[in-house]
Amino acid sequence: NGGGGDRVPRGRPWVYGADVLEADADAGEVVTVRGFRGQALGDALFSDRSEITIRMLTRGEVQADERLLRTRLEQAVAFRESLRIDASAYRLVDGEAGLLPSLIIDRDADLLVVQAPSQGMDPLHPTITALLVDVVKPKGILARNDPRVRVLEGLEQKVEVLHGDVPSTVDVSEGRVRYSVDPFRGQKTVLFLDQRENREAAARYARGRLLDALSYNGRFAL
């Protein structure tokens, strides 16, 4: 309707259920979203349980297919490499910010940890896994699909190995700091790697002693 349909062309990544006039799709499908006048707004992930009913993948007539997913993953890898930050652990894909809504991918050395908390992204796990094996070539891929939001989406909470070998501990680095992490039991996708760039920036200015309160493993202070 006028609310959601008008905002999507301006870049809004979501459409809420209250803005959907009609839906002819099953839970978890990739759908074509049309505006009030029937114009194609793009392809999107569809959920029949979440308040975020539509998560946009493309705009206009661009089709969301396996080629698009591969391109988005390749772009994510190229962007992280372009930052040239000294670290073996980093956030590779950050959901909507990486143009892959509700998909989180963290790299911990030769291991990838993925999380897909939405109905629409969950069925794409096999495709995403195959593409990651081809594009990134990790030794192992672990799915940390255990957040409670999956229950609200009607999905099972589970932790499972999707590819290769996933050890119980992985040694990673960020600058001069070394960590030994547990990919199966760490918080969320283990290390809050979405803050890596902020920690690198803070290190340019911070001097002396630093109090790092209530911040998981104190990575800013380290």
Side-chain angles (χ1 to χ4, degrees), residues 126-155:
T127 300
I128 295 293
T129 299
L131 290 172
L132 288 172
V133 170
D134 190 42
V135 173
V136 183
K137 297 177 174 56
K139 291 184 178 179
I141 301 177
L142 177 70
R144 281 294 304 270
N145 285 322
D146 51 353
R148 177 162 174 74
V149 67
R150 281 179 59 91
V151 176
L152 302 178
E153 289 266 341
L155 301 171

mmCIF file of all heavy atoms in Angstrom, residues 126-155:
data_model
loop_
_atom_site.group_PDB
_atom_site.id
_atom_site.type_symbol
_atom_site.label_atom_id
_atom_site.label_comp_id
_atom_site.label_asym_id
_atom_site.label_seq_id
_atom_site.Cartn_x
_atom_site.Cartn_y
_atom_site.Cartn_z
ATOM 1 N N PRO A 126 21.327 -24.423 1.867
ATOM 2 C CA PRO A 126 22.121 -25.288 0.977
ATOM 3 C C PRO A 126 22.804 -24.509 -0.148
ATOM 4 O O PRO A 126 23.973 -24.758 -0.464
ATOM 5 C CB PRO A 126 21.086 -26.275 0.433
ATOM 6 C CG PRO A 126 20.008 -26.306 1.471
ATOM 7 C CD PRO A 126 19.934 -24.902 1.983
ATOM 8 N N THR A 127 22.082 -23.557 -0.748
ATOM 9 C CA THR A 127 22.658 -22.754 -1.827
ATOM 10 C C THR A 127 23.791 -21.879 -1.310
ATOM 11 O O THR A 127 24.876 -21.799 -1.918
ATOM 12 C CB THR A 127 21.584 -21.878 -2.478
ATOM 13 O OG1 THR A 127 20.555 -22.716 -3.013
ATOM 14 C CG2 THR A 127 22.172 -21.028 -3.596
ATOM 15 N N ILE A 128 23.561 -21.199 -0.187
ATOM 16 C CA ILE A 128 24.590 -20.326 0.402
ATOM 17 C C ILE A 128 25.817 -21.143 0.778
ATOM 18 O O ILE A 128 26.965 -20.722 0.548
ATOM 19 C CB ILE A 128 24.025 -19.592 1.634
ATOM 20 C CG1 ILE A 128 22.909 -18.625 1.237
ATOM 21 C CG2 ILE A 128 25.139 -18.859 2.373
ATOM 22 C CD1 ILE A 128 23.357 -17.462 0.400
ATOM 23 N N THR A 129 25.597 -22.327 1.350
ATOM 24 C CA THR A 129 26.722 -23.184 1.745
ATOM 25 C C THR A 129 27.571 -23.567 0.538
ATOM 26 O O THR A 129 28.801 -23.467 0.567
ATOM 27 C CB THR A 129 26.206 -24.450 2.447
ATOM 28 O OG1 THR A 129 25.494 -24.081 3.637
ATOM 29 C CG2 THR A 129 27.366 -25.367 2.830
ATOM 30 N N ALA A 130 26.921 -24.008 -0.535
ATOM 31 C CA ALA A 130 27.649 -24.403 -1.740
ATOM 32 C C ALA A 130 28.438 -23.229 -2.328
ATOM 33 O O ALA A 130 29.585 -23.387 -2.767
ATOM 34 C CB ALA A 130 26.683 -24.960 -2.775
ATOM 35 N N LEU A 131 27.834 -22.051 -2.317
ATOM 36 C CA LEU A 131 28.515 -20.872 -2.851
ATOM 37 C C LEU A 131 29.709 -20.483 -1.985
ATOM 38 O O LEU A 131 30.773 -20.113 -2.499
ATOM 39 C CB LEU A 131 27.538 -19.702 -2.951
ATOM 40 C CG LEU A 131 26.452 -19.817 -4.027
ATOM 41 C CD1 LEU A 131 25.444 -18.690 -3.890
ATOM 42 C CD2 LEU A 131 27.079 -19.804 -5.419
ATOM 43 N N LEU A 132 29.554 -20.575 -0.670
ATOM 44 C CA LEU A 132 30.660 -20.247 0.234
ATOM 45 C C LEU A 132 31.821 -21.215 0.053
ATOM 46 O O LEU A 132 32.992 -20.811 0.089
ATOM 47 C CB LEU A 132 30.179 -20.261 1.684
ATOM 48 C CG LEU A 132 29.280 -19.098 2.111
ATOM 49 C CD1 LEU A 132 28.722 -19.342 3.501
ATOM 50 C CD2 LEU A 132 30.038 -17.774 2.061
ATOM 51 N N VAL A 133 31.519 -22.488 -0.134
ATOM 52 C CA VAL A 133 32.570 -23.477 -0.366
ATOM 53 C C VAL A 133 33.348 -23.111 -1.629
ATOM 54 O O VAL A 133 34.578 -23.205 -1.669
ATOM 55 C CB VAL A 133 31.971 -24.889 -0.480
ATOM 56 C CG1 VAL A 133 33.025 -25.882 -0.970
ATOM 57 C CG2 VAL A 133 31.408 -25.342 0.861
ATOM 58 N N ASP A 134 32.646 -22.656 -2.649
ATOM 59 C CA ASP A 134 33.271 -22.330 -3.921
ATOM 60 C C ASP A 134 34.012 -20.992 -3.878
ATOM 61 O O ASP A 134 35.119 -20.863 -4.402
ATOM 62 C CB ASP A 134 32.212 -22.303 -5.019
ATOM 63 C CG ASP A 134 32.831 -22.214 -6.413
ATOM 64 O OD1 ASP A 134 33.829 -22.912 -6.663
ATOM 65 O OD2 ASP A 134 32.323 -21.439 -7.237
ATOM 66 N N VAL A 135 33.406 -19.989 -3.236
ATOM 67 C CA VAL A 135 33.966 -18.633 -3.251
ATOM 68 C C VAL A 135 35.040 -18.440 -2.177
ATOM 69 O O VAL A 135 36.098 -17.864 -2.435
ATOM 70 C CB VAL A 135 32.847 -17.582 -3.071
ATOM 71 C CG1 VAL A 135 33.427 -16.191 -2.921
ATOM 72 C CG2 VAL A 135 31.869 -17.632 -4.250
ATOM 73 N N VAL A 136 34.771 -18.909 -0.963
ATOM 74 C CA VAL A 136 35.667 -18.658 0.168
ATOM 75 C C VAL A 136 36.608 -19.832 0.442
ATOM 76 O O VAL A 136 37.707 -19.653 0.943
ATOM 77 C CB VAL A 136 34.844 -18.317 1.433
ATOM 78 C CG1 VAL A 136 35.759 -17.969 2.605
ATOM 79 C CG2 VAL A 136 33.878 -17.171 1.158
ATOM 80 N N LYS A 137 36.139 -21.048 0.153
ATOM 81 C CA LYS A 137 36.912 -22.274 0.361
ATOM 82 C C LYS A 137 37.325 -22.474 1.823
ATOM 83 O O LYS A 137 38.515 -22.682 2.129
ATOM 84 C CB LYS A 137 38.141 -22.296 -0.548
ATOM 85 C CG LYS A 137 37.782 -22.319 -2.031
ATOM 86 C CD LYS A 137 39.018 -22.264 -2.908
ATOM 87 C CE LYS A 137 38.649 -22.442 -4.375
ATOM 88 N NZ LYS A 137 37.641 -21.450 -4.857
ATOM 89 N N PRO A 138 36.377 -22.439 2.750
ATOM 90 C CA PRO A 138 36.703 -22.669 4.157
ATOM 91 C C PRO A 138 36.909 -24.159 4.438
ATOM 92 O O PRO A 138 36.442 -25.010 3.676
ATOM 93 C CB PRO A 138 35.455 -22.155 4.878
ATOM 94 C CG PRO A 138 34.346 -22.481 3.915
ATOM 95 C CD PRO A 138 34.929 -22.245 2.542
ATOM 96 N N LYS A 139 37.580 -24.447 5.534
ATOM 97 C CA LYS A 139 37.718 -25.843 5.945
ATOM 98 C C LYS A 139 36.435 -26.365 6.589
ATOM 99 O O LYS A 139 36.189 -27.571 6.596
ATOM 100 C CB LYS A 139 38.891 -25.984 6.911
ATOM 101 C CG LYS A 139 40.249 -25.773 6.262
ATOM 102 C CD LYS A 139 41.377 -26.013 7.246
ATOM 103 C CE LYS A 139 42.744 -25.852 6.576
ATOM 104 N NZ LYS A 139 43.856 -26.056 7.542
ATOM 105 N N GLY A 140 35.646 -25.450 7.149
ATOM 106 C CA GLY A 140 34.396 -25.863 7.775
ATOM 107 C C GLY A 140 33.387 -24.731 7.793
ATOM 108 O O GLY A 140 33.759 -23.551 7.778
ATOM 109 N N ILE A 141 32.100 -25.084 7.817
ATOM 110 C CA ILE A 141 31.014 -24.105 7.940
ATOM 111 C C ILE A 141 30.068 -24.591 9.027
ATOM 112 O O ILE A 141 29.559 -25.715 8.965
ATOM 113 C CB ILE A 141 30.238 -23.931 6.620
ATOM 114 C CG1 ILE A 141 31.170 -23.463 5.501
ATOM 115 C CG2 ILE A 141 29.094 -22.918 6.804
ATOM 116 C CD1 ILE A 141 30.471 -23.340 4.149
ATOM 117 N N LEU A 142 29.830 -23.730 10.014
ATOM 118 C CA LEU A 142 28.945 -24.050 11.129
ATOM 119 C C LEU A 142 27.735 -23.130 11.104
ATOM 120 O O LEU A 142 27.880 -21.920 10.973
ATOM 121 C CB LEU A 142 29.683 -23.877 12.461
ATOM 122 C CG LEU A 142 28.861 -24.117 13.734
ATOM 123 C CD1 LEU A 142 28.520 -25.597 13.875
ATOM 124 C CD2 LEU A 142 29.609 -23.614 14.963
ATOM 125 N N ALA A 143 26.538 -23.699 11.233
ATOM 126 C CA ALA A 143 25.320 -22.897 11.333
ATOM 127 C C ALA A 143 24.958 -22.718 12.801
ATOM 128 O O ALA A 143 24.696 -23.703 13.495
ATOM 129 C CB ALA A 143 24.172 -23.560 10.584
ATOM 130 N N ARG A 144 24.978 -21.466 13.266
ATOM 131 C CA ARG A 144 24.560 -21.153 14.637
ATOM 132 C C ARG A 144 23.133 -20.619 14.602
ATOM 133 O O ARG A 144 22.864 -19.460 14.886
ATOM 134 C CB ARG A 144 25.524 -20.130 15.237
ATOM 135 C CG ARG A 144 26.837 -20.700 15.720
ATOM 136 C CD ARG A 144 26.647 -21.643 16.917
ATOM 137 N NE ARG A 144 25.963 -20.964 18.001
ATOM 138 C CZ ARG A 144 26.576 -20.280 18.970
ATOM 139 N NH1 ARG A 144 27.900 -20.195 18.977
ATOM 140 N NH2 ARG A 144 25.888 -19.691 19.923
ATOM 141 N N ASN A 145 22.216 -21.499 14.248
ATOM 142 C CA ASN A 145 20.813 -21.106 14.165
ATOM 143 C C ASN A 145 20.098 -21.412 15.476
ATOM 144 O O ASN A 145 19.110 -22.157 15.518
ATOM 145 C CB ASN A 145 20.135 -21.829 12.998
ATOM 146 C CG ASN A 145 20.534 -21.250 11.660
ATOM 147 O OD1 ASN A 145 20.692 -20.043 11.522
ATOM 148 N ND2 ASN A 145 20.723 -22.111 10.673
ATOM 149 N N ASP A 146 20.606 -20.806 16.549
ATOM 150 C CA ASP A 146 20.033 -21.038 17.867
ATOM 151 C C ASP A 146 19.443 -19.799 18.544
ATOM 152 O O ASP A 146 19.047 -19.881 19.702
ATOM 153 C CB ASP A 146 21.074 -21.677 18.797
ATOM 154 C CG ASP A 146 22.392 -20.929 18.820
ATOM 155 O OD1 ASP A 146 22.568 -19.983 18.021
ATOM 156 O OD2 ASP A 146 23.259 -21.291 19.643
ATOM 157 N N PRO A 147 19.345 -18.626 17.880
ATOM 158 C CA PRO A 147 18.722 -17.482 18.559
ATOM 159 C C PRO A 147 17.210 -17.674 18.702
ATOM 160 O O PRO A 147 16.570 -18.339 17.872
ATOM 161 C CB PRO A 147 19.047 -16.303 17.640
ATOM 162 C CG PRO A 147 19.189 -16.909 16.296
ATOM 163 C CD PRO A 147 19.821 -18.250 16.528
ATOM 164 N N ARG A 148 16.640 -17.070 19.726
ATOM 165 C CA ARG A 148 15.217 -17.251 19.999
ATOM 166 C C ARG A 148 14.336 -16.661 18.900
ATOM 167 O O ARG A 148 13.196 -17.105 18.697
ATOM 168 C CB ARG A 148 14.856 -16.612 21.348
ATOM 169 C CG ARG A 148 13.373 -16.695 21.660
ATOM 170 C CD ARG A 148 13.012 -16.481 23.089
ATOM 171 N NE ARG A 148 11.575 -16.433 23.264
ATOM 172 C CZ ARG A 148 10.774 -17.479 23.210
ATOM 173 N NH1 ARG A 148 11.275 -18.680 22.965
ATOM 174 N NH2 ARG A 148 9.472 -17.355 23.381
ATOM 175 N N VAL A 149 14.841 -15.690 18.152
ATOM 176 C CA VAL A 149 14.030 -15.078 17.105
ATOM 177 C C VAL A 149 13.585 -16.117 16.086
ATOM 178 O O VAL A 149 12.538 -15.959 15.439
ATOM 179 C CB VAL A 149 14.805 -13.934 16.415
ATOM 180 C CG1 VAL A 149 16.000 -14.476 15.637
ATOM 181 C CG2 VAL A 149 13.889 -13.140 15.494
ATOM 182 N N ARG A 150 14.320 -17.220 15.933
ATOM 183 C CA ARG A 150 13.895 -18.263 14.998
ATOM 184 C C ARG A 150 12.595 -18.927 15.447
ATOM 185 O O ARG A 150 11.781 -19.352 14.627
ATOM 186 C CB ARG A 150 14.999 -19.308 14.829
ATOM 187 C CG ARG A 150 16.108 -18.865 13.884
ATOM 188 C CD ARG A 150 17.195 -19.910 13.770
ATOM 189 N NE ARG A 150 16.743 -21.194 13.284
ATOM 190 C CZ ARG A 150 16.726 -21.557 11.997
ATOM 191 N NH1 ARG A 150 17.137 -20.706 11.065
ATOM 192 N NH2 ARG A 150 16.323 -22.758 11.648
ATOM 193 N N VAL A 151 12.388 -19.023 16.754
ATOM 194 C CA VAL A 151 11.136 -19.579 17.267
ATOM 195 C C VAL A 151 9.971 -18.693 16.862
ATOM 196 O O VAL A 151 8.900 -19.175 16.459
ATOM 197 C CB VAL A 151 11.197 -19.724 18.801
ATOM 198 C CG1 VAL A 151 9.857 -20.223 19.346
ATOM 199 C CG2 VAL A 151 12.323 -20.670 19.201
ATOM 200 N N LEU A 152 10.164 -17.383 16.943
ATOM 201 C CA LEU A 152 9.114 -16.443 16.552
ATOM 202 C C LEU A 152 8.815 -16.543 15.058
ATOM 203 O O LEU A 152 7.720 -16.196 14.613
ATOM 204 C CB LEU A 152 9.539 -15.014 16.905
ATOM 205 C CG LEU A 152 9.868 -14.766 18.385
ATOM 206 C CD1 LEU A 152 10.319 -13.324 18.584
ATOM 207 C CD2 LEU A 152 8.672 -15.083 19.272
ATOM 208 N N GLU A 153 9.795 -17.008 14.282
ATOM 209 C CA GLU A 153 9.612 -17.182 12.842
ATOM 210 C C GLU A 153 9.085 -18.574 12.499
ATOM 211 O O GLU A 153 8.935 -18.921 11.327
ATOM 212 C CB GLU A 153 10.943 -16.946 12.113
ATOM 213 C CG GLU A 153 11.406 -15.515 12.100
ATOM 214 C CD GLU A 153 10.982 -14.757 10.854
ATOM 215 O OE1 GLU A 153 10.640 -15.394 9.848
ATOM 216 O OE2 GLU A 153 10.992 -13.510 10.902
ATOM 217 N N GLY A 154 8.838 -19.399 13.532
ATOM 218 C CA GLY A 154 8.360 -20.754 13.290
ATOM 219 C C GLY A 154 9.449 -21.708 12.860
ATOM 220 O O GLY A 154 9.173 -22.753 12.251
ATOM 221 N N LEU A 155 10.712 -21.382 13.187
ATOM 222 C CA LEU A 155 11.852 -22.194 12.780
ATOM 223 C C LEU A 155 12.470 -22.893 13.982
ATOM 224 O O LEU A 155 12.369 -22.428 15.114
ATOM 225 C CB LEU A 155 12.918 -21.316 12.105
ATOM 226 C CG LEU A 155 12.485 -20.548 10.856
ATOM 227 C CD1 LEU A 155 13.577 -19.576 10.442
ATOM 228 C CD2 LEU A 155 12.149 -21.506 9.716
#
